[in-house]
Every structure is written in C-alpha cells, then in structure tokens.
Amino acid sequence: MFKNKKYKNLFMVLLLIFSAEIFFSAYQEAPTWDERCYIGTGKYIMNTGNFKNIAIMYQPPLSYYLNSVFLYFIKFDKSLFDSENCWDIGNKIIFHSGYPHWLILFLTRLPFMIVALMASFYVFKFASMLYGEKSGVFAVFLYVFSPNIVGYSTLATTDFLITVIIFITIYHYWMYLNNPTKLNMIFTGIAVGFAEGTKITGLLLYPIIILIGILNLYFKKQFTYKNLIIQIKSWVWIFIIGFLIVMILYGFQFKTFKSALPEYYVNRAHQAFDEIGILKKINAKKIFDNIPVPVPSYFGGLGSVSYLTTKGLPIFVLGRILEKNIFYFPILVFLLKTTLSLLILIIISIILFRKIRRKSLMDELILVIPIVIIFGIFVFSNKVSGIRHVLPIYPFIFLFVSKIMNYKAKNKKIFILFMTIFVLHYAVNAIIIAPYYLSYTNEFAGGFGNAYKFFVASAIDQGQDLARLKAYMDKKGVKSAKLSYFGSIDPKDYNISYEYLPSPYFQPWVTKNGVFATESEARENCSSITGIIAISVTNLQNLFLVNKSCFRWLHNYEPVKKIGYTIFVYNISSAFR
C-alpha cells in the first residue's frame, strides 16, 4: 500500500492522533438526540426477529446492527425488549440495564470509531491513486483534523456511517470503470447495498453512479450504443446486488405492509389512503393490507422518511424561525462549520484547477459529481437540520483539494509558507474546539460561543452536553437548577435535580406520548423567573416551542457559563417582567 516509508510513518502518526481524538470525545459526550432510539435496536432485532421497532421507520438497520456488535456478548434482562418503541428500549439499555451507562455508550460507539479508522486507509489509497502518496497523506490530514468528521465518527448514528460507505462505493465504482471485472462490480454492488441499508441518503448513489458512468463513456470517447448497453447491464447487476444486500439485512422479509409496520405508521398510512384521491382510486389501502411484498419494512421506512421530508422541519437561521428549510440554510451551515483554511484551499484548488488536475477529467469528476448531487439535493430539500445531512461530501472535498500538493510553484518558499500556515490553522482549530466538535463553527461566526445566533438544533446542539452540565453543577455545588433541555435523555438519568422549564413537547421525557405527542400536550409557562437557569441554545431560540417568544426575555441577560457551547447557565437575581 505504501511505496514511501516516510509517508507510511506520517500516516501512522495521523492515525494515532485520530484515535486519541475520537476516543477522548466519545467518552465525554452524553447520548445525542437520535442515539437514545438507535442504541440497542440491533440487539432487539437479533433477539426477537421483529422489525416492527419504530427505529426501522427512521432508518434501515445496518447502523443498528453495528452499534450492537459489542452488545451481543452482554447479557440483558429480557424485559428490556418488551416494547417495540426504540425510545423506551434505548433508554432502558443505556441507563437501566444494570451496567454503567458510560460503558454501554462507549461499546455502542466503538464500532463506528473502528469504521472511522478503517476509512482513513480508503482516504489515503484513493487520494494516492489519483494524485500520489504526498496527496494521500495530506487528504488523511484533512480527514483527521476535520471537526465535523471527528464529531460524527464518535456517535452511534447513521450520519458518519453513510459518509464512509458512499465514499467507499464511489472508490469501488471508479475501480470498476478502470478495470471492469466481475469482482469490482460485485464490490460496488455490495457497497451500494450497505449504503441503502444504512440511510435513505444511500439512494442518491443511483443517480451518482449513472451520471458518472455516462460521463465516463463520453470523456473516454466510447459513447456508442453497444458500450451504453454494457454500462446499463452493469448498473442493473450493481443495483440487484445492492437490493440483495438489503434483503439480507431485513432477513429476507416478505410480508404485507400492514403486518410489518408499527401500528402508528399503519394508521397514518390508512389516513393518507383515505385523504389522497389517487390512492383511494387505485385502492391502495387494499394493496397495503393484503398483498405481501419483499422487505416492506424498508419501503415503509422510505415512505415515512419521504413523508417527513415533504412535510419539512422548522429551522432557526440568522435570528428567524422558518417552517422548513430555505435554500441558503445548508450553504450557510457549510460555510460556517467548515474550517476557514479548508474553504480557502477549495477556492485555490478551483483557481489552479487546470494546472494541478489529472490528465483525465473523469478522475476529477468522480469526486465532483457526488459533491454536487448530494449538496444540491439537500439545498432544495425541506428537511435539513445541520451539517450531518451533507457530511458525505467531505471525504470527496479532501481528495479534491489534496492535489494542491502537486502544484509546481514558481516561488517555492512562498508556497511552503502558505501551506505551513494552512496546516497550523487547520490543526489548531481541531485542537482548540476539542472535545466539543459537534458545536464547531469557524471565524465567520465570531467564535464558537456565537454559533447559536446563526443556527441551532442538530447544526450544533444534539443534547450532547448534559453530562457536562451535571459535572458543572457538582463542581459549583449547585443542588438544583431550573432547566430547559433540548435532548431525548431525561436529565434525571444523570442524577440532575431540576425544576422543569418549557422544553419541546415531543421529547420522550417531557410528555407521555413522547415523539408522537401533539402541541396540545405542551407544558409551557413562559413567565420570566429568577435563580439558576440552565437552558439549551435550541430552546433559548424557541425553535421547537409552541410559544415562539417563550424565552425571549432571557436574551436580556448574559450567561455566567456556556457549557460545551450548547447549554447556557444564568444566575438571575431579578428578572424583567
């Protein structure tokens, strides 16, 4: 794999640094919003064979199997799996299984950290094959010191896993295009299946692969009817292999939708069939209830995610609350959550493109096409909540800019000085934000603590700082606080004594119905108060509260402490009324 020992040594050093970053971060973060539902779902499916778990309606099962790899060897009481509600199962496994919560968290996150380390080899290999080993090491450097990569690689969620699998898929498809053997085609198909089995975003590989294949024929001047048919046949085989992997992940499930899906989603589907004219006309309800289909849980989940995407989620952007995504929100998130030096390097790489690109333009498009399609889709999607949705573009960006290492500068001293400044700035940013990687924003935001003025929720706040709030209260001798928390974990599970302040009504610990609650169940007394107040920045901006001005009064005060940049603590002796 390595031709030059020097680059091998540099790679190993970067790998050690990366290991330290992710292990240190994973140990400190409280369960994030989605982790409460995701953790233990794989164990549940393996124990019961039941795919009616609510988590399956959110995402396909591969990441669930992965987070349960080390849980398979731990004995749990069967009562933990009595419910089909992932929010109940996850909470019981993390906090009420008889094992320390930090151990369960670490064991469920560990497989993702291992994947992150393995992915660094792919980053090096792909970049080295395109631009040489010097660029390969530089691409790994960008990967290792990316706050977004480090932050998400330590969570037991789908976002980082789909990032790695999409990248690996494109690598294998590139290998297939250059050496169209059955083995390379099979590897590509398996990778496509893993992507589809991880997150609905994996379906974007269909247009990406097809477009890459067509352009490959065009730029190699092989665009003939015969070659196009050969290409189409390869796509068919790749996608068939991919779907076979999906079927394996779902245990070759063959049922009716009604018997496969959780009751809540069956009822919601029936309601849609009665309300939407064309569905009523074709008697979709009868088909849904009575006709068995392959992997109905997969297609049911796809339908559920599509429904939520069409409906959209509210976002907070630049001081405004909007009902759903606006096109510039993902752009703003990318510009503020990408290290400034990397943004500069992207611009320089584009300016110098003709001088440093590969002779084959197709070798550049293999990186550009995934970036354009993935980012473009989410720019116009109704459901975007943060950088996690466009995280898969980063490995391709790292490779695209890594070719700068091959630039033949007229003045080598100036180029070396520039690259030295870049490397220092990029690495220092990752060091000073540690271990609060999920909250990272660059200098354009005016500092890490100002990110909440631009965006909140999963863009910076996923409930990850609850454990740090407990540590702060213990350190300062605060026995109880008035708390408004954005997260799925009940603060009581961290032994935090609190007086409830308005929090999103759909959080599992706030209302009896949790994620299925309605606005009528919200408990919101928005009067100004005094005392020790701890509030998540998402709630401070009132994003998911029914009363969109509930905590506006609190903006008149300065926090005495910003915990991980997502929980602000106030000590108020007199409040404006």
Side-chain angles (χ1 to χ4, degrees):
M1 182 175 174
F2 298 94
K3 296 178 182 178
N4 189 311
K5 190 176 180 179
K6 177 178 69 174
Y7 296 131
K8 179 182 179 181
N9 291 337
L10 286 172
F11 176 84
M12 296 309 296
V13 169
L14 289 171
L15 208 60
L16 287 172
I17 293 172
F18 190 45
S19 301
E21 286 178 317
I22 59 179
F23 280 89
F24 180 58
S25 176
Y27 182 74
Q28 297 197 41
E29 306 286 14
T32 55
W33 231 106
D34 292 340
E35 283 184 300
R36 169 171 172 168
C37 172
Y38 293 176
I39 286 175
T41 295
K43 177 83 171 177
Y44 170 87
I45 294 172
M46 295 298 289
N47 279 11
T48 65
N50 184 9
F51 284 91
K52 293 179 75 171
N53 189 296
I54 291 171
I56 294 296
M57 302 304 294
Y58 299 145
Q59 303 295 350
L62 182 59
S63 70
Y64 305 147
Y65 293 140
L66 188 63
N67 77 45
S68 295
V69 165
F70 295 110
L71 298 186
Y72 296 143
F73 307 103
I74 297 179
K75 187 176 181 180
F76 292 100
D77 191 288
K78 291 182 179 179
S79 64
L80 298 179
F81 305 104
D82 287 344
S83 172
E84 292 179 351
N85 188 329
C86 63
W87 301 100
D88 293 337
I89 296 168
N91 194 62
K92 289 176 183 176
I93 287 178
I94 297 170
F95 292 104
H96 307 287
S97 65
Y99 300 98
H101 70 271
W102 61 264
L103 177 62
I104 298 297
L105 268 179
F106 185 78
L107 289 178
T108 52
R109 290 169 171 174
L110 182 58
F112 295 84
M113 293 186 276
I114 293 172
V115 168
L117 294 170
M118 291 171 60
S120 63
F121 286 89
Y122 268 95
V123 171
F124 175 81
K125 189 173 182 180
F126 202 172
S128 296
M129 293 178 74
L130 287 172
Y131 309 117
E133 287 193 334
K134 187 191 296 184
S135 293
V137 170
F138 188 58
V140 173
F141 166 79
L142 297 174
Y143 174 82
V144 165
F145 285 101
S146 167
N148 294 315
I149 292 295
V150 177
Y152 282 94
S153 65
T154 61
L155 304 181
T157 60
T158 59
D159 304 303
F160 181 75
L161 187 60
I162 192 63
T163 297
V164 171
I165 294 176
I166 287 177
F167 182 72
I168 290 174
T169 303
I170 299 304
Y171 166 78
H172 282 294
Y173 188 54
W174 178 74
M175 291 288 288
Y176 171 74
L177 291 176
N178 287 285
N179 184 21
T181 64
K182 289 183 180 179
L183 188 61
N184 282 333
M185 183 175 68
I186 291 170
F187 281 148
T188 305
I190 292 172
V192 167
F194 283 157
E196 291 181 81
T198 297
K199 194 171 185 177
I200 302 303
T201 307
L203 291 174
L204 292 179
L205 282 169
Y206 281 64
I208 291 172
I209 285 175
I210 291 172
L211 183 56
I212 288 173
I214 291 172
L215 291 177
N216 182 65
L217 290 177
Y218 176 79
F219 283 106
K220 288 184 177 179
K221 298 181 180 179
Q222 297 173 353
F223 202 94
T224 64
Y225 176 77
K226 181 181 178 181
N227 287 335
L228 182 60
I229 293 300
I230 293 172
Q231 193 71 262
I232 291 172
K233 286 181 178 178
S234 72
W235 297 333
V236 170
W237 278 113
I238 286 169
F239 299 145
I240 286 175
I241 293 169
F243 188 67
L244 179 61
I245 295 296
V246 171
M247 291 187 69
I248 293 171
L249 292 172
Y250 282 90
F252 291 99
Q253 187 186 53
F254 192 81
K255 294 182 176 181
T256 63
F257 284 102
K258 184 179 180 179
S259 64
L261 305 186
E263 183 180 359
Y264 172 86
Y265 293 92
V266 171
N267 294 336
R268 192 169 76 179
H270 283 172
Q271 183 181 354
F273 296 149
D274 292 335
E275 293 175 353
I276 301 173
I278 189 170
L279 294 178
K280 195 171 184 179
K281 206 170 188 180
I282 64 173
N283 208 354
K285 187 174 182 179
K286 187 175 181 180
I287 297 171
F288 183 90
D289 288 354
N290 300 306
I291 298 180
V293 295
V295 287
S297 293
Y298 176 74
F299 291 111
L302 176 60
S304 177
V305 172
S306 300
Y307 169 79
L308 292 174
T309 300
T310 303
K311 187 179 178 182
L313 284 175
I315 61 168
F316 176 88
V317 55
L318 298 173
R320 299 166 60 205
I321 294 177
L322 305 178
E323 290 184 4
K324 56 186 178 181
N325 177 48
I326 192 167
F327 75 94
Y328 61 78
F329 178 66
I331 299 172
L332 179 70
V333 171
F334 175 76
L335 290 176
L336 294 187
K337 288 190 70 68
T338 301
T339 309
L340 181 58
S341 46
L342 180 57
L343 292 175
I344 293 171
L345 197 58
I346 292 171
I347 295 170
I348 293 173
S349 296
I350 294 172
I351 293 172
L352 298 177
F353 182 72
R354 285 189 173 185
K355 295 182 179 181
I356 59 178
R357 76 174 181 87
R358 291 266 293 183
K359 288 183 180 180
S360 171
L361 186 60
M362 198 58 228
D363 288 339
E364 300 293 342
L365 290 176
I366 200 83
L367 305 176
V368 174
I369 289 171
I371 295 172
V372 172
I373 289 181
I374 293 170
F375 196 78
I377 288 292
F378 283 110
V379 164
F380 297 105
S381 170
N382 288 333
K383 186 177 178 289
V384 178
S385 54
I387 201 69
R388 65 194 184 102
H389 286 114
V390 295
L391 194 68
I393 72 174
Y394 277 97
F396 297 103
I397 290 175
F398 300 152
L399 264 64
F400 180 79
V401 302
S402 70
K403 59 179 171 282
I404 193 71
M405 299 303 291
N406 296 327
Y407 178 56
K408 307 296 182 184
K410 292 180 180 179
N411 191 322
K412 289 187 178 181
K413 289 184 179 179
I414 293 178
F415 179 70
I416 291 172
L417 178 62
F418 166 78
M419 291 305 297
T420 302
I421 293 172
F422 168 86
V423 166
L424 289 173
H425 178 272
Y426 192 81
V428 166
N429 264 261
I431 293 169
I432 60 177
I433 189 62
Y436 315 116
Y437 299 105
L438 294 176
S439 304
Y440 176 80
T441 49
N442 63 31
E443 291 84 345
F444 286 143
F448 307 139
N450 285 323
Y452 76 102
K453 298 176 182 177
F454 296 88
F455 37 64
V456 289
S458 70
I460 56 170
D461 178 15
Q462 299 185 42
Q464 69 268 20
D465 289 315
L466 189 62
R468 295 185 180 102
L469 172 63
K470 170 60 176 172
Y472 174 81
M473 291 175 66
D474 289 346
K475 181 179 178 181
K476 296 295 182 179
V478 178
K479 294 183 178 180
S480 181
K482 298 172 182 179
L483 177 63
S484 174
Y485 174 60
F486 177 70
S488 59
I489 299 299
D490 189 340
K492 290 179 181 177
D493 283 324
Y494 271 96
N495 296 317
I496 294 175
S497 176
Y498 67 92
E499 178 183 328
Y500 173 84
L501 292 182
S503 302
Y505 63 87
F506 52 79
Q507 298 185 153
W509 58 277
V510 173
T511 51
K512 182 180 179 181
N513 291 320
V515 295
F516 301 118
T518 60
E519 286 189 2
S520 62
E521 299 175 62
R523 296 182 289 142
E524 295 184 5
N525 180 354
C526 298
S527 302
S528 54
I529 56 175
T530 59
I532 304 295
I533 299 171
I535 182 169
S536 296
V537 292
T538 302
N539 297 348
L540 182 64
Q541 300 293 18
N542 305 296
L543 176 57
F544 295 114
L545 301 179
V546 176
N547 185 340
K548 299 303 180 186
S549 60
C550 189
F551 286 109
R552 191 171 294 169
W553 65 272
L554 199 52
H555 292 196
N556 295 307
Y557 299 90
E558 286 295 320
V560 295
K561 179 68 177 179
K562 294 180 178 180
I563 299 174
Y565 309 110
T566 70
I567 298 178
F568 289 2
V569 179
Y570 298 82
N571 188 353
I572 299 175
S573 56
S574 61
F576 292 101
R577 298 186 182 276

